[in-house]
Amino acid sequence: MGCASEKGIRGILMMVILVMVTVSYADAGKRKCKFNGNKFSIGEEVLGLPDHCCSLTCASDGGIGRKQKQTRAILTLDFTSLNSCACQSPSRSVLNLTGVLSPRQLNRWGSEGRLNKKPKPKRGSKHRANNKKTKKYKKDNNKRTKKVGERAKKKKKGRCVFNNKKYKSNEIVEEVARRCFDLVCQAKQKKKKGSVEVVPRTDCTCSDDVDPPAPPPPPPPPPSRDCSEYAETFTPSHSICQPQNKACGIHREGVSEEEKKMILKEHNEYRAKVARGEEKRGAPGPQPSAANMMEMVWNQELADVAQAWCNTCPANHDCNDCRKVFSIDGFVGQNLYWHFSFQSEQVWSQALGAFYDEVQFVPKTLVDRYLTIPTPGPIGHYTQMVWAETRELGCGAAYHGPCAGNFPECKTYCCNYGPAGNILSRPMYEKGPAASNCPNGKSGDYDGLCKP
């Protein structure tokens, strides 16, 4: 009896050991790295990048709570010291990873993003269905297959997978600044799955330093405010509360992102030119250099209010309280520009040039103390444009017509400035060497201007 029990116990132990070994082997088989449709074991090199002194390998993440069963296989970059390796630009501008993988690594495993082929039915099968049931089954099955196929196409179209995360075509998967390349998802054809490729960086020097952390995300935009808040705080006649003028035939409105950058850049270039003392015109001139002229930045609230005023197709400026904003204390300045033509293209450079060219009528004596004096022509647009303490800008545009003389393409441009310039008895800017009195230091983008 005792011998029988001992044999039974031994048999049970052998079964337990066999099960444990089987489970362990199965778990180990699951821990694989997936890369461009291929599987790699932990410790295996996925891709060698000798030109960049590094390699992509499959490694273990170390487990969660040091439990071996909870380890995962992840793709990591191993770097070689530059003392023993020469980091240089590859001969091709873009390396195709599938071109440098070994034949064994190129063996596709069928379960990633593809529908497996159905096995062919065996000949001589005894089981046959009724014709009506067979037709109905085929019809339903075709619908299901079609839906599955559509979902599969949507799922895999232009997508790459890297460490179980999906990326769209042309999206950066990994930035490797210290080795002068990026891993980028690229889809060769619209209907095929994408592959992760190496894209070298230009004008880059390799370094052993750790890659800098990613910049923090931009702050969220301020909450949008409705008319009631502007009316209650400033005036019921605020521009943001004005309805669009239907009579003037607006067919396009607003300022594109590209136009915003151009408007801001040209404002700062004009200001920097004056700040450096390079403007020789005036009545009399030249205009003195500026010690404290600020670099301008875009303010979207100013732009929204300017756009609201443009949408009325105005013939004059709105009131001082009508263009106040919550993001700036005090008054807001304004420049308006009208253009009538047969062409629909934007003319922002022409408008800003017209504002700035008023410098020819500006006496240089007004820099120390701004006054209302007789001048050969208008000067207020220029003086607001280069007012030193004005540091924020936002513009709007309305394209409408027909208008004066039956021109089909009429443009109304409005730029709001904060805080406002053209304040009587105040200096336009402080005379002195360019950027010699900057509270926050000099601008890094425009020579002669101060940081805002």
Side-chain angles (χ1 to χ4, degrees), residues 337-351:
Y337 181 80
W338 295 271
H339 186 267
F340 314 127
S341 68
F342 294 93
Q343 290 76 36
S344 59
E345 292 80 9
Q346 57 89 4
V347 291
W348 273 108
S349 289
Q350 183 175 331

Side-chain angles (χ1 to χ4, degrees), residues 140-156:
D140 294 341
N141 192 47
N142 287 337
K143 289 182 178 179
R144 286 195 295 269
T145 305
K146 186 177 180 181
K147 289 181 179 178
V148 170
E150 289 175 353
R151 286 198 299 269
K153 285 182 180 179
K154 289 180 181 179
K155 184 177 181 181
K156 71 179 183 177

